[in-house]
Amino acid sequence: MFKLKLHWQVLIAMILGCMLGIIFKNFESTININPLYQFITLLGTVFIRLLKMIMVPLILTSIILGVSSIGSGRKVGRIGIKTLIYYLSTSLLAIITGLVLSNLIQPGIGANIIKNANFDPSKIQTPGSTLDILIRMIPTNPFQALANGDMLGIIFFAIFFGIVINMIDNNKSESLRNIIDSLFSVIMKITQIIISIAPIGVLGLMTKTVYTS
């Protein structure tokens, strides 16, 4: 039996979502569509919450498993340097691309911007220094970092945890690695299930976006 690939399913769901959003918007006054609209948009909300639910466990287990599987600290250091170079290179490319496009396209030119009297530019949070970011990476409570979704703290703890696994007794480290590997396999399976319902979630999200635009 022929089955569409996931990306085609998502594309079709986006088109259907746009159509449903237009229909709901145009016929809202003549047809009682609220229950159907609420149900469809609920699907999108559930999908987003499922993604947020699995994000932290997936990042934590994958990083711990990956770092602990590398082996010696020297290998971790080499990979860390390569990762830093890759991160700086891609960040520089993104900045250059943004600057070039903003100067070519010049978004906002000629737009009639309405000033908001309640907006205070002084209250905008400025990014901290590099030292502040490095300090903030170290979580005072890793469980609180997991609960709050503090990605910097989670990544730092996961890398530190993965490195230290290789420093303890081989039998204990192997047993712990097997547990994390099994946990990672379960989380990956959950992720696959969530991704498989992506078309339904996209349908709900697109319907809400078009309807409220």
Side-chain angles (χ1 to χ4, degrees), residues 136-159:
R136 192 157 47 88
M137 284 178 60
I138 306 174
T140 55
N141 186 342
F143 296 103
Q144 184 179 8
L146 291 169
N148 295 336
D150 181 9
M151 286 303 161
L152 284 176
I154 293 170
I155 292 172
F156 178 86
F157 176 76
I159 293 174

PDB file of all heavy atoms in Angstrom, residues 136-159:
ATOM      1  N   ARG A 136      26.661  31.236  34.349  1.00  0.00           N
ATOM      2  CA  ARG A 136      25.269  30.792  34.321  1.00  0.00           C
ATOM      3  C   ARG A 136      25.130  29.371  33.777  1.00  0.00           C
ATOM      4  O   ARG A 136      24.114  28.702  34.009  1.00  0.00           O
ATOM      5  CB  ARG A 136      24.458  31.774  33.473  1.00  0.00           C
ATOM      6  CG  ARG A 136      22.954  31.621  33.583  1.00  0.00           C
ATOM      7  CD  ARG A 136      22.247  32.915  33.195  1.00  0.00           C
ATOM      8  NE  ARG A 136      22.774  33.480  31.961  1.00  0.00           N
ATOM      9  CZ  ARG A 136      22.317  33.147  30.759  1.00  0.00           C
ATOM     10  NH1 ARG A 136      21.355  32.252  30.633  1.00  0.00           N
ATOM     11  NH2 ARG A 136      22.825  33.710  29.681  1.00  0.00           N
ATOM     12  N   MET A 137      26.137  28.905  33.060  1.00  0.00           N
ATOM     13  CA  MET A 137      26.103  27.542  32.540  1.00  0.00           C
ATOM     14  C   MET A 137      26.134  26.503  33.650  1.00  0.00           C
ATOM     15  O   MET A 137      25.631  25.393  33.473  1.00  0.00           O
ATOM     16  CB  MET A 137      27.302  27.311  31.604  1.00  0.00           C
ATOM     17  CG  MET A 137      27.178  27.941  30.239  1.00  0.00           C
ATOM     18  SD  MET A 137      28.660  27.662  29.238  1.00  0.00           S
ATOM     19  CE  MET A 137      28.678  25.860  29.179  1.00  0.00           C
ATOM     20  N   ILE A 138      26.723  26.849  34.785  1.00  0.00           N
ATOM     21  CA  ILE A 138      26.861  25.896  35.890  1.00  0.00           C
ATOM     22  C   ILE A 138      25.618  25.973  36.761  1.00  0.00           C
ATOM     23  O   ILE A 138      25.406  26.976  37.460  1.00  0.00           O
ATOM     24  CB  ILE A 138      28.120  26.192  36.727  1.00  0.00           C
ATOM     25  CG1 ILE A 138      29.358  26.245  35.829  1.00  0.00           C
ATOM     26  CG2 ILE A 138      28.293  25.159  37.828  1.00  0.00           C
ATOM     27  CD1 ILE A 138      30.614  26.674  36.529  1.00  0.00           C
ATOM     28  N   PRO A 139      24.780  24.955  36.755  1.00  0.00           N
ATOM     29  CA  PRO A 139      23.542  25.021  37.538  1.00  0.00           C
ATOM     30  C   PRO A 139      23.810  24.759  39.026  1.00  0.00           C
ATOM     31  O   PRO A 139      24.573  23.870  39.384  1.00  0.00           O
ATOM     32  CB  PRO A 139      22.685  23.892  36.932  1.00  0.00           C
ATOM     33  CG  PRO A 139      23.685  22.904  36.422  1.00  0.00           C
ATOM     34  CD  PRO A 139      24.893  23.701  35.987  1.00  0.00           C
ATOM     35  N   THR A 140      23.214  25.567  39.879  1.00  0.00           N
ATOM     36  CA  THR A 140      23.322  25.319  41.315  1.00  0.00           C
ATOM     37  C   THR A 140      22.489  24.114  41.732  1.00  0.00           C
ATOM     38  O   THR A 140      22.775  23.480  42.746  1.00  0.00           O
ATOM     39  CB  THR A 140      22.863  26.549  42.106  1.00  0.00           C
ATOM     40  OG1 THR A 140      21.530  26.898  41.701  1.00  0.00           O
ATOM     41  CG2 THR A 140      23.780  27.742  41.833  1.00  0.00           C
ATOM     42  N   ASN A 141      21.472  23.812  40.942  1.00  0.00           N
ATOM     43  CA  ASN A 141      20.628  22.643  41.201  1.00  0.00           C
ATOM     44  C   ASN A 141      20.271  22.025  39.847  1.00  0.00           C
ATOM     45  O   ASN A 141      19.431  22.561  39.132  1.00  0.00           O
ATOM     46  CB  ASN A 141      19.364  23.050  41.958  1.00  0.00           C
ATOM     47  CG  ASN A 141      18.521  21.844  42.367  1.00  0.00           C
ATOM     48  OD1 ASN A 141      18.665  20.742  41.838  1.00  0.00           O
ATOM     49  ND2 ASN A 141      17.636  22.055  43.320  1.00  0.00           N
ATOM     50  N   PRO A 142      20.910  20.900  39.471  1.00  0.00           N
ATOM     51  CA  PRO A 142      20.639  20.315  38.152  1.00  0.00           C
ATOM     52  C   PRO A 142      19.190  19.886  37.962  1.00  0.00           C
ATOM     53  O   PRO A 142      18.657  19.946  36.856  1.00  0.00           O
ATOM     54  CB  PRO A 142      21.591  19.111  38.095  1.00  0.00           C
ATOM     55  CG  PRO A 142      21.967  18.836  39.508  1.00  0.00           C
ATOM     56  CD  PRO A 142      21.920  20.145  40.214  1.00  0.00           C
ATOM     57  N   PHE A 143      18.536  19.465  39.046  1.00  0.00           N
ATOM     58  CA  PHE A 143      17.133  19.059  38.939  1.00  0.00           C
ATOM     59  C   PHE A 143      16.239  20.269  38.661  1.00  0.00           C
ATOM     60  O   PHE A 143      15.259  20.172  37.924  1.00  0.00           O
ATOM     61  CB  PHE A 143      16.688  18.348  40.223  1.00  0.00           C
ATOM     62  CG  PHE A 143      17.422  17.066  40.475  1.00  0.00           C
ATOM     63  CD1 PHE A 143      18.437  17.011  41.413  1.00  0.00           C
ATOM     64  CD2 PHE A 143      17.112  15.919  39.759  1.00  0.00           C
ATOM     65  CE1 PHE A 143      19.120  15.823  41.647  1.00  0.00           C
ATOM     66  CE2 PHE A 143      17.796  14.729  39.985  1.00  0.00           C
ATOM     67  CZ  PHE A 143      18.806  14.693  40.918  1.00  0.00           C
ATOM     68  N   GLN A 144      16.593  21.412  39.257  1.00  0.00           N
ATOM     69  CA  GLN A 144      15.844  22.637  38.976  1.00  0.00           C
ATOM     70  C   GLN A 144      16.068  23.073  37.534  1.00  0.00           C
ATOM     71  O   GLN A 144      15.148  23.552  36.870  1.00  0.00           O
ATOM     72  CB  GLN A 144      16.277  23.737  39.943  1.00  0.00           C
ATOM     73  CG  GLN A 144      15.475  25.024  39.792  1.00  0.00           C
ATOM     74  CD  GLN A 144      15.899  26.090  40.781  1.00  0.00           C
ATOM     75  OE1 GLN A 144      16.891  25.925  41.483  1.00  0.00           O
ATOM     76  NE2 GLN A 144      15.161  27.180  40.857  1.00  0.00           N
ATOM     77  N   ALA A 145      17.311  22.890  37.045  1.00  0.00           N
ATOM     78  CA  ALA A 145      17.603  23.217  35.643  1.00  0.00           C
ATOM     79  C   ALA A 145      16.776  22.338  34.703  1.00  0.00           C
ATOM     80  O   ALA A 145      16.277  22.815  33.676  1.00  0.00           O
ATOM     81  CB  ALA A 145      19.089  23.027  35.373  1.00  0.00           C
ATOM     82  N   LEU A 146      16.636  21.064  35.049  1.00  0.00           N
ATOM     83  CA  LEU A 146      15.813  20.163  34.240  1.00  0.00           C
ATOM     84  C   LEU A 146      14.352  20.592  34.265  1.00  0.00           C
ATOM     85  O   LEU A 146      13.671  20.573  33.231  1.00  0.00           O
ATOM     86  CB  LEU A 146      15.955  18.727  34.751  1.00  0.00           C
ATOM     87  CG  LEU A 146      17.307  18.049  34.526  1.00  0.00           C
ATOM     88  CD1 LEU A 146      17.375  16.742  35.309  1.00  0.00           C
ATOM     89  CD2 LEU A 146      17.530  17.777  33.058  1.00  0.00           C
ATOM     90  N   ALA A 147      13.871  20.969  35.451  1.00  0.00           N
ATOM     91  CA  ALA A 147      12.465  21.355  35.590  1.00  0.00           C
ATOM     92  C   ALA A 147      12.161  22.660  34.857  1.00  0.00           C
ATOM     93  O   ALA A 147      11.094  22.806  34.257  1.00  0.00           O
ATOM     94  CB  ALA A 147      12.101  21.489  37.068  1.00  0.00           C
ATOM     95  N   ASN A 148      13.126  23.597  34.874  1.00  0.00           N
ATOM     96  CA  ASN A 148      12.911  24.900  34.252  1.00  0.00           C
ATOM     97  C   ASN A 148      13.301  24.929  32.779  1.00  0.00           C
ATOM     98  O   ASN A 148      13.094  25.937  32.108  1.00  0.00           O
ATOM     99  CB  ASN A 148      13.708  25.976  35.005  1.00  0.00           C
ATOM    100  CG  ASN A 148      13.220  26.172  36.424  1.00  0.00           C
ATOM    101  OD1 ASN A 148      12.070  25.878  36.739  1.00  0.00           O
ATOM    102  ND2 ASN A 148      14.087  26.649  37.295  1.00  0.00           N
ATOM    103  N   GLY A 149      13.896  23.833  32.281  1.00  0.00           N
ATOM    104  CA  GLY A 149      14.320  23.803  30.885  1.00  0.00           C
ATOM    105  C   GLY A 149      15.497  24.713  30.612  1.00  0.00           C
ATOM    106  O   GLY A 149      15.614  25.272  29.506  1.00  0.00           O
ATOM    107  N   ASP A 150      16.386  24.878  31.594  1.00  0.00           N
ATOM    108  CA  ASP A 150      17.586  25.706  31.426  1.00  0.00           C
ATOM    109  C   ASP A 150      18.600  24.926  30.585  1.00  0.00           C
ATOM    110  O   ASP A 150      19.343  24.097  31.102  1.00  0.00           O
ATOM    111  CB  ASP A 150      18.172  26.050  32.798  1.00  0.00           C
ATOM    112  CG  ASP A 150      19.413  26.926  32.698  1.00  0.00           C
ATOM    113  OD1 ASP A 150      19.716  27.394  31.588  1.00  0.00           O
ATOM    114  OD2 ASP A 150      20.080  27.121  33.735  1.00  0.00           O
ATOM    115  N   MET A 151      18.632  25.193  29.283  1.00  0.00           N
ATOM    116  CA  MET A 151      19.417  24.376  28.366  1.00  0.00           C
ATOM    117  C   MET A 151      20.922  24.461  28.624  1.00  0.00           C
ATOM    118  O   MET A 151      21.619  23.456  28.538  1.00  0.00           O
ATOM    119  CB  MET A 151      19.119  24.781  26.917  1.00  0.00           C
ATOM    120  CG  MET A 151      17.766  24.311  26.446  1.00  0.00           C
ATOM    121  SD  MET A 151      17.622  22.521  26.605  1.00  0.00           S
ATOM    122  CE  MET A 151      15.848  22.329  26.568  1.00  0.00           C
ATOM    123  N   LEU A 152      21.410  25.658  28.960  1.00  0.00           N
ATOM    124  CA  LEU A 152      22.837  25.783  29.244  1.00  0.00           C
ATOM    125  C   LEU A 152      23.223  24.921  30.441  1.00  0.00           C
ATOM    126  O   LEU A 152      24.232  24.207  30.408  1.00  0.00           O
ATOM    127  CB  LEU A 152      23.193  27.248  29.503  1.00  0.00           C
ATOM    128  CG  LEU A 152      23.273  28.170  28.292  1.00  0.00           C
ATOM    129  CD1 LEU A 152      23.541  29.604  28.720  1.00  0.00           C
ATOM    130  CD2 LEU A 152      24.344  27.699  27.325  1.00  0.00           C
ATOM    131  N   GLY A 153      22.421  24.991  31.492  1.00  0.00           N
ATOM    132  CA  GLY A 153      22.694  24.186  32.679  1.00  0.00           C
ATOM    133  C   GLY A 153      22.576  22.699  32.410  1.00  0.00           C
ATOM    134  O   GLY A 153      23.382  21.898  32.903  1.00  0.00           O
ATOM    135  N   ILE A 154      21.572  22.308  31.625  1.00  0.00           N
ATOM    136  CA  ILE A 154      21.366  20.900  31.300  1.00  0.00           C
ATOM    137  C   ILE A 154      22.536  20.355  30.492  1.00  0.00           C
ATOM    138  O   ILE A 154      23.058  19.268  30.763  1.00  0.00           O
ATOM    139  CB  ILE A 154      20.039  20.721  30.529  1.00  0.00           C
ATOM    140  CG1 ILE A 154      18.854  21.038  31.436  1.00  0.00           C
ATOM    141  CG2 ILE A 154      19.914  19.295  29.983  1.00  0.00           C
ATOM    142  CD1 ILE A 154      17.534  21.112  30.698  1.00  0.00           C
ATOM    143  N   ILE A 155      22.968  21.121  29.491  1.00  0.00           N
ATOM    144  CA  ILE A 155      24.076  20.672  28.638  1.00  0.00           C
ATOM    145  C   ILE A 155      25.367  20.558  29.446  1.00  0.00           C
ATOM    146  O   ILE A 155      26.116  19.585  29.300  1.00  0.00           O
ATOM    147  CB  ILE A 155      24.248  21.638  27.447  1.00  0.00           C
ATOM    148  CG1 ILE A 155      23.039  21.531  26.510  1.00  0.00           C
ATOM    149  CG2 ILE A 155      25.530  21.346  26.682  1.00  0.00           C
ATOM    150  CD1 ILE A 155      23.017  22.565  25.412  1.00  0.00           C
ATOM    151  N   PHE A 156      25.643  21.554  30.301  1.00  0.00           N
ATOM    152  CA  PHE A 156      26.858  21.502  31.122  1.00  0.00           C
ATOM    153  C   PHE A 156      26.838  20.284  32.039  1.00  0.00           C
ATOM    154  O   PHE A 156      27.830  19.542  32.137  1.00  0.00           O
ATOM    155  CB  PHE A 156      26.982  22.780  31.959  1.00  0.00           C
ATOM    156  CG  PHE A 156      28.181  22.792  32.864  1.00  0.00           C
ATOM    157  CD1 PHE A 156      29.407  23.231  32.397  1.00  0.00           C
ATOM    158  CD2 PHE A 156      28.086  22.355  34.174  1.00  0.00           C
ATOM    159  CE1 PHE A 156      30.522  23.240  33.223  1.00  0.00           C
ATOM    160  CE2 PHE A 156      29.194  22.356  35.016  1.00  0.00           C
ATOM    161  CZ  PHE A 156      30.413  22.803  34.535  1.00  0.00           C
ATOM    162  N   PHE A 157      25.709  20.064  32.714  1.00  0.00           N
ATOM    163  CA  PHE A 157      25.603  18.923  33.633  1.00  0.00           C
ATOM    164  C   PHE A 157      25.742  17.606  32.881  1.00  0.00           C
ATOM    165  O   PHE A 157      26.410  16.670  33.358  1.00  0.00           O
ATOM    166  CB  PHE A 157      24.270  18.976  34.379  1.00  0.00           C
ATOM    167  CG  PHE A 157      24.034  17.799  35.277  1.00  0.00           C
ATOM    168  CD1 PHE A 157      24.688  17.696  36.494  1.00  0.00           C
ATOM    169  CD2 PHE A 157      23.162  16.785  34.899  1.00  0.00           C
ATOM    170  CE1 PHE A 157      24.483  16.602  37.327  1.00  0.00           C
ATOM    171  CE2 PHE A 157      22.944  15.696  35.722  1.00  0.00           C
ATOM    172  CZ  PHE A 157      23.595  15.599  36.943  1.00  0.00           C
ATOM    173  N   ALA A 158      25.110  17.509  31.706  1.00  0.00           N
ATOM    174  CA  ALA A 158      25.166  16.270  30.928  1.00  0.00           C
ATOM    175  C   ALA A 158      26.591  15.967  30.471  1.00  0.00           C
ATOM    176  O   ALA A 158      27.054  14.818  30.543  1.00  0.00           O
ATOM    177  CB  ALA A 158      24.225  16.370  29.734  1.00  0.00           C
ATOM    178  N   ILE A 159      27.313  17.001  30.008  1.00  0.00           N
ATOM    179  CA  ILE A 159      28.702  16.792  29.582  1.00  0.00           C
ATOM    180  C   ILE A 159      29.570  16.389  30.764  1.00  0.00           C
ATOM    181  O   ILE A 159      30.376  15.452  30.667  1.00  0.00           O
ATOM    182  CB  ILE A 159      29.244  18.080  28.922  1.00  0.00           C
ATOM    183  CG1 ILE A 159      28.511  18.352  27.608  1.00  0.00           C
ATOM    184  CG2 ILE A 159      30.742  17.964  28.664  1.00  0.00           C
ATOM    185  CD1 ILE A 159      28.877  19.667  26.956  1.00  0.00           C
TER     186      ILE A 159
END
